[in-house]
Amino acid sequence: MLLNSIIFFLKKSFQTHPKKFLFLIFLIILDSIFVMTTFIAVVPFAEFLIDPTLVEPNKLTYHLKNIFRYLNLEINYLSLSIFLVSTIIFSSIITLIIIKQIYKIKFDYELTLTKDLMNSILNCKWKHLSRLKQGKILNIFTKEVDNVGNTIRGTAQIFANFFKLLIYLFVPFYINSIFTLKVTAAFLIICIPFLYLNNYAKKIGLKRSLATNQELDKRTETYSALKLILGFNLSKKIIKNNILLTLKVIEQSMKAVTLSYIVPLAFKPIAIIIILIIFGSSFNLNKIPEYVGIFWGLYGAIPIISALVGNTILASNFHTSLRQVEKVINECRSNVEANTGINFLKIKKEIKFEKVNFYHNKTNPILKDLSISIPKNQVTTFIGRTGEGKSTIIDLILGLQKSNSGEIFFDDNLISNLNVKSLREAIGYVPQDPLLFNTSIRENIKWANQEISDNEIFSLLNKINALDFVNKSKNKLDTLVGERGLKISGGQRQKIALARALAKKPEILILDEGLSSIDTESSNLISKYLREISKNMTIINVTHEISQCKYSDKIVLLENKESKVFNDYSDIKFI
């Protein structure tokens, strides 16, 4: 299972960024050469300090003497010192480059994963997206992607350290194979208990991910309900609930952190004790240069083995993170919004519902056998109490939901045969909650149409009775509206949202309670303007206010799962 996790992450790294991974392999080989060279330098240096004549050199010193002789270099304290220091410096430089390359792979993988997440989520059907918890998605974007990146980094370090470890063990083995085999066997034995921590690490990783999902879900819910919480004076209760979830996250995070430090802190002293015991059992003054090389290699191997075990536990701990991320991506991809079908250009005659039924529960339908027509270039208003299915009709027109039965036509084309993305391109939409982005009024309007000029924006604002408040603002169009537009009033938000929808110059304009927070005078002015532009635009208005039906060409009353059509405001105003 452990080996499978390492191979899995190595494959992910190579598949995602093969060139960077191949360059990493090249750097690792180069680093191994310099590590080997350091050994070749340190043993002769130690032997020279004991016997400058080097009459009976060991294997490494003998090879170095031949190399120096071939290069016409004299072996002395200065030349050996320069050689030793140079190898250490170059090895350090290569190690630094390797670390940088590993982090490049980590960050590139995180970027790729984030792109995949964004693409899969923003091209997914709304029906599936509406079932995803915000806390889970926030956790994935803010923490789990980083956890996966750290696992990729850790796995790449396992790969890099493995080759370095072979060099650190090969040279001592070359100097004294029996001694090195004893130490290596002892190292492997003490590693076994640490590797059993992997299953525990996986369990911690799963609990941590679930706890973080719940914590962020509660944070999102709390922030969205701030006004309600203050209004009910329930701050203490909400704080307590949030803190309890945070404590659960801290508990699992502390276990994970403790686990990550146990390995290096426990392994190192045990490994040194083993080396000292084996050294002590076979110590010989005549072999001090050999012991220097062996000790240099084995002592260098200790942190590498420690890091290898630690990174394997890291991979196990964060394997859950990748599973969670990939589960969201795969689920969204299996519910992808199809980019096929007939491209929608414009309405020639009407949008038509024929015996449309929609329900989440069959015993309580939202729409029942709804048959209506929405004529081209007219204002059609749907009116009714909450729960009568007005917003559902909008979702069906936008293709965000699908009816359980019945048909919806755009002229002679079934909506199911249309390219829903091209349909939405032709629609300007003002939702119930007129969400604005945390930027200027100008940028919020241009979000729908980057080509619109300031003069066109001012003209739009004037026609929907929004120019006055913009001009009174110190920064005019550069006025910042705050997060979700909370720095301006509800009515002003709706006007900016309407201007944004109109800036798109849509074929169809949809207002889902889009004038509900606007004062009566402005609402009448806007309704008149909408009636004027309906000569070139099909307008669908959803409301529960009878007064907003005044300038409608067609009024559809939704009541008790039935629809009644009125063609004149005077026919409905007394109902």
Side-chain angles (χ1 to χ4, degrees):
M1 183 65 73
L2 171 63
L3 186 61
N4 288 341
S5 293
I6 295 170
I7 293 171
F8 173 77
F9 282 109
L10 283 173
K11 281 183 178 178
K12 284 284 181 185
S13 301
F14 185 77
Q15 289 169 357
T16 311
H17 301 286
K19 289 182 181 178
K20 286 186 172 64
F21 203 79
L22 288 172
F23 183 55
L24 176 64
I25 292 172
F26 167 74
L27 290 172
I28 290 168
I29 294 170
L30 195 61
D31 185 48
S32 301
I33 292 170
F34 278 108
V35 170
M36 177 77 79
T37 309
T38 304
F39 275 107
I40 294 173
V42 73
V43 174
F45 184 78
E47 190 166 6
F48 179 84
L49 292 176
I50 295 169
D51 179 17
T53 61
L54 299 177
V55 176
E56 296 181 5
N58 61 45
K59 296 176 184 177
L60 289 180
T61 305
Y62 175 78
H63 290 308
L64 185 65
K65 282 181 71 177
N66 288 335
I67 293 170
F68 270 52
R69 189 179 297 114
Y70 177 78
L71 296 172
N72 292 321
L73 295 174
E74 183 183 348
I75 290 185
N76 55 41
Y77 183 84
L78 180 61
S79 62
L80 289 173
S81 297
I82 291 172
F83 183 56
L84 176 61
V85 172
S86 298
T87 57
I88 293 171
I89 290 172
F90 280 113
S91 181
S92 298
I93 291 171
I94 296 299
T95 300
L96 180 62
I97 296 171
I98 287 173
I99 292 170
K100 185 178 178 182
Q101 187 67 12
I102 287 172
Y103 271 92
K104 276 186 178 180
I105 292 171
K106 162 188 156 63
F107 292 129
D108 284 349
Y109 187 81
E110 287 180 14
L111 179 62
T112 301
L113 201 58
T114 301
K115 284 179 179 177
D116 285 347
L117 267 168
M118 294 297 291
N119 281 322
S120 59
I121 289 172
L122 293 179
N123 288 289
C124 182
K125 294 175 182 175
W126 170 249
K127 187 176 182 179
H128 177 70
L129 290 177
S130 63
R131 293 197 294 261
L132 293 176
K133 289 188 175 181
Q134 287 187 19
K136 182 177 182 179
I137 300 301
L138 282 174
N139 179 35
I140 285 173
F141 276 113
T142 57
K143 294 187 178 181
E144 301 295 18
V145 168
D146 183 58
N147 289 341
V148 174
N150 284 330
T151 307
I152 293 293
R153 172 187 56 77
T155 309
Q157 285 177 332
I158 289 172
F159 185 69
N161 286 336
F162 179 75
F163 283 93
K164 186 176 281 190
L165 178 64
L166 292 179
I167 299 298
Y168 271 104
L169 293 178
F170 171 76
V171 175
F173 186 83
Y174 179 75
I175 296 171
N176 190 325
S177 58
I178 296 174
F179 183 91
T180 306
L181 279 173
K182 288 180 182 177
V183 175
T184 304
F187 280 1
L188 290 173
I189 291 169
I190 64 172
C191 278
I192 292 171
F194 291 112
L195 294 177
Y196 276 107
L197 293 171
N198 279 282
N199 289 331
Y200 181 59
K202 283 186 178 179
K203 290 178 182 178
I204 290 175
L206 178 60
K207 289 179 180 178
R208 176 188 47 74
S209 290
L210 292 174
T212 307
N213 288 346
Q214 292 172 352
E215 180 196 31
L216 288 176
D217 204 35
K218 181 60 71 175
R219 289 283 188 278
T220 305
E221 183 182 78
T222 300
Y223 184 75
S224 299
L226 283 177
K227 202 175 207 179
L228 185 67
I229 294 165
L230 294 174
F232 275 75
N233 194 30
L234 290 174
S235 298
K236 287 184 179 178
K237 176 184 175 182
I238 299 301
I239 290 169
K240 183 180 177 181
N241 292 341
N242 274 269
I243 294 302
L244 285 173
L245 290 173
T246 302
L247 287 172
K248 287 183 180 179
V249 175
I250 291 171
E251 180 186 0
Q252 299 307 321
S253 298
M254 283 298 296
K255 287 179 181 178
V257 169
T258 303
L259 199 60
S260 68
Y261 280 101
I262 280 176
V263 175
L265 293 176
F267 182 84
K268 189 173 181 178
I270 295 171
I272 291 174
I273 290 169
I274 289 170
I275 292 173
L276 292 174
I277 290 172
I278 296 175
F279 260 121
S281 65
S282 58
F283 186 76
N284 187 333
L285 275 173
N286 295 324
K287 294 185 177 181
I288 287 179
E290 283 187 12
Y291 291 156
V292 170
I294 294 169
F295 191 81
W296 182 283
L298 295 178
Y299 189 77
I302 290 173
I304 295 174
I305 296 172
S306 178
L308 283 170
V309 178
N311 282 322
T312 56
I313 291 173
L314 175 74
S316 297
N317 196 347
F318 289 147
H319 204 166
T320 304
S321 298
L322 183 63
R323 283 182 178 176
Q324 182 167 231
V325 174
E326 291 196 326
K327 184 181 178 183
V328 170
I329 291 173
N330 292 333
E331 285 178 352
C332 286
R333 284 176 177 170
S334 64
N335 289 278
V336 69
E337 196 86 75
N339 194 22
T340 57
I342 303 166
N343 282 330
F344 178 82
L345 298 175
K346 61 180 181 178
I347 299 174
K348 295 176 182 176
K349 184 182 177 183
E350 63 184 353
I351 302 170
K352 187 165 59 175
F353 283 55
E354 288 188 354
K355 294 186 177 182
V356 170
N357 290 281
F358 184 87
Y359 52 79
H360 297 295
N361 185 337
K362 284 186 179 182
T363 59
N364 186 27
I366 296 171
L367 298 176
K368 186 177 180 181
D369 291 330
L370 179 66
S371 296
I372 53 169
S373 170
I374 301 169
K376 173 186 177 179
N377 293 354
Q378 289 189 20
V379 178
T380 300
T381 297
F382 290 88
I383 185 168
R385 289 187 290 268
T386 301
E388 291 292 347
K390 303 186 300 297
S391 295
T392 300
I393 291 171
I394 301 305
D395 288 347
L396 291 170
I397 292 171
L398 285 165
L400 296 173
Q401 299 280 10
K402 285 188 176 181
S403 61
N404 298 100
S405 63
E407 305 291 356
I408 300 171
F409 291 89
F410 282 74
D411 297 320
D412 296 325
N413 295 313
L414 283 167
I415 190 171
S416 56
N417 292 335
L418 292 175
N419 184 314
V420 72
K421 293 187 176 181
S422 70
L423 172 61
R424 291 173 192 160
E425 281 287 334
I427 294 175
Y429 175 47
V430 183
Q432 282 188 10
D433 179 14
L435 186 145
L436 299 183
F437 300 102
N438 190 11
T439 183
S440 67
I441 291 172
R442 176 191 287 105
E443 291 305 315
N444 267 286
I445 294 171
K446 291 189 70 150
W447 182 79
N449 178 7
Q450 289 295 319
E451 303 303 318
I452 192 170
S453 67
D454 282 2
N455 286 337
E456 289 176 300
I457 291 174
F458 279 121
S459 177
L460 270 178
L461 293 172
N462 183 47
K463 288 170 181 174
I464 62 173
N465 203 32
L467 187 59
D468 189 45
F469 98 82
V470 173
N471 282 334
K472 284 181 180 178
S473 301
K474 181 181 177 181
N475 296 316
K476 304 292 190 295
L477 289 178
D478 292 315
T479 300
L480 298 177
V481 301
E483 189 173 353
R484 299 179 65 87
L486 294 178
K487 285 188 177 180
I488 58 178
S489 71
Q492 289 167 344
R493 283 200 299 274
Q494 285 194 326
K495 288 179 180 180
I496 299 303
L498 176 58
R500 177 174 61 194
L502 290 169
K504 194 176 179 182
K505 300 175 183 177
E507 171 74 15
I508 303 166
L509 176 66
I510 297 175
L511 296 92
D512 189 359
E513 298 284 4
L515 306 178
S516 59
S517 299
I518 295 174
D519 61 275
T520 304
E521 181 186 353
S522 293
S523 181
N524 284 330
L525 287 169
I526 291 169
S527 296
K528 282 183 183 179
Y529 173 64
L530 294 178
R531 179 66 176 271
E532 288 176 20
I533 63 173
S534 68
K535 295 171 186 177
N536 300 302
M537 187 184 299
T538 302
I539 298 174
I540 303 168
N541 184 29
V542 161
T543 183
H544 63 275
E545 296 283 349
I546 290 179
S547 60
Q548 287 189 25
C549 300
K550 189 174 181 180
Y551 298 99
S552 300
D553 297 292
K554 186 172 185 176
I555 303 162
V556 181
L557 174 65
L558 299 172
E559 191 174 37
N560 299 324
K561 314 305 175 190
E562 293 184 358
S563 61
K564 296 178 183 178
V565 177
F566 300 87
N567 294 313
D568 197 306
Y569 171 65
S570 60
D571 294 333
I572 194 172
K573 66 178 179 179
F574 298 114
I575 291 177

